[in-house]
Short mmCIF file of all heavy atoms in Angstrom, two decimals:
data_model
loop_
_atom_site.label_atom_id
_atom_site.label_comp_id
_atom_site.label_asym_id
_atom_site.label_seq_id
_atom_site.Cartn_x
_atom_site.Cartn_y
_atom_site.Cartn_z
N LYS S 8 -4.49 -0.57 4.15
CA LYS S 8 -4.94 0.16 5.32
C LYS S 8 -4.15 1.46 5.49
O LYS S 8 -3.03 1.44 6.01
CB LYS S 8 -4.79 -0.70 6.58
CG LYS S 8 -5.13 -2.15 6.40
CD LYS S 8 -4.78 -2.92 7.64
CE LYS S 8 -4.52 -4.37 7.37
NZ LYS S 8 -3.58 -4.68 6.32
N VAL S 46 19.37 -15.34 4.15
CA VAL S 46 18.56 -14.13 4.15
C VAL S 46 17.97 -13.93 5.54
O VAL S 46 17.96 -14.84 6.37
CB VAL S 46 17.41 -14.22 3.11
CG1 VAL S 46 17.95 -14.30 1.70
CG2 VAL S 46 16.50 -15.41 3.40
N LYS S 92 36.23 -22.42 2.68
CA LYS S 92 35.33 -22.74 1.57
C LYS S 92 33.91 -22.23 1.81
O LYS S 92 32.93 -22.78 1.29
CB LYS S 92 35.32 -24.24 1.28
CG LYS S 92 36.68 -24.80 0.87
CD LYS S 92 36.58 -26.29 0.57
CE LYS S 92 37.94 -26.84 0.16
NZ LYS S 92 37.88 -28.30 -0.15
N VAL S 136 17.74 -2.18 13.39
CA VAL S 136 18.81 -1.54 14.15
C VAL S 136 20.05 -1.47 13.27
O VAL S 136 20.48 -2.48 12.70
CB VAL S 136 19.12 -2.35 15.43
CG1 VAL S 136 20.28 -1.71 16.20
CG2 VAL S 136 17.87 -2.43 16.31
N PRO S 193 11.09 -26.06 28.02
CA PRO S 193 10.18 -26.27 26.87
C PRO S 193 9.68 -27.71 26.85
O PRO S 193 10.39 -28.64 27.26
CB PRO S 193 11.08 -25.99 25.66
CG PRO S 193 12.29 -25.29 26.18
CD PRO S 193 12.46 -25.74 27.59
N PHE S 240 -6.81 -12.80 -1.92
CA PHE S 240 -8.06 -13.49 -2.20
C PHE S 240 -8.31 -14.57 -1.14
O PHE S 240 -7.38 -15.20 -0.66
CB PHE S 240 -8.02 -14.14 -3.58
CG PHE S 240 -7.80 -13.16 -4.70
CD1 PHE S 240 -6.52 -12.84 -5.13
CD2 PHE S 240 -8.88 -12.52 -5.30
CE1 PHE S 240 -6.31 -11.93 -6.14
CE2 PHE S 240 -8.68 -11.60 -6.32
CZ PHE S 240 -7.39 -11.31 -6.74
N GLY S 313 12.51 -29.35 1.41
CA GLY S 313 12.76 -29.77 0.04
C GLY S 313 12.19 -28.75 -0.91
O GLY S 313 11.07 -28.27 -0.72
N LEU S 329 -7.19 -27.91 -16.26
CA LEU S 329 -6.55 -27.74 -14.96
C LEU S 329 -5.80 -28.99 -14.52
O LEU S 329 -4.79 -28.91 -13.82
CB LEU S 329 -7.61 -27.36 -13.93
CG LEU S 329 -7.13 -27.09 -12.49
CD1 LEU S 329 -6.21 -25.88 -12.45
CD2 LEU S 329 -8.32 -26.90 -11.56
N ILE S 381 -0.86 -19.73 16.41
CA ILE S 381 -1.28 -20.25 17.72
C ILE S 381 -0.26 -19.93 18.82
O ILE S 381 -0.37 -20.43 19.93
CB ILE S 381 -1.53 -21.77 17.68
CG1 ILE S 381 -0.23 -22.56 17.45
CG2 ILE S 381 -2.58 -22.13 16.63
CD1 ILE S 381 -0.38 -24.05 17.67
N VAL S 382 0.73 -19.11 18.51
CA VAL S 382 1.77 -18.78 19.49
C VAL S 382 1.17 -17.95 20.62
O VAL S 382 0.77 -16.80 20.41
CB VAL S 382 2.94 -18.04 18.82
CG1 VAL S 382 3.95 -17.57 19.87
CG2 VAL S 382 3.63 -18.93 17.78
N GLY S 392 -0.84 -13.99 13.27
CA GLY S 392 0.53 -14.45 13.45
C GLY S 392 1.01 -15.02 12.14
O GLY S 392 0.43 -15.98 11.62
#
Side-chain angles (χ1 to χ4, degrees):
K8 321 173 205 52
V46 295
K92 298 182 180 180
V136 178
F240 300 91
L329 181 65
I381 68 168
V382 174

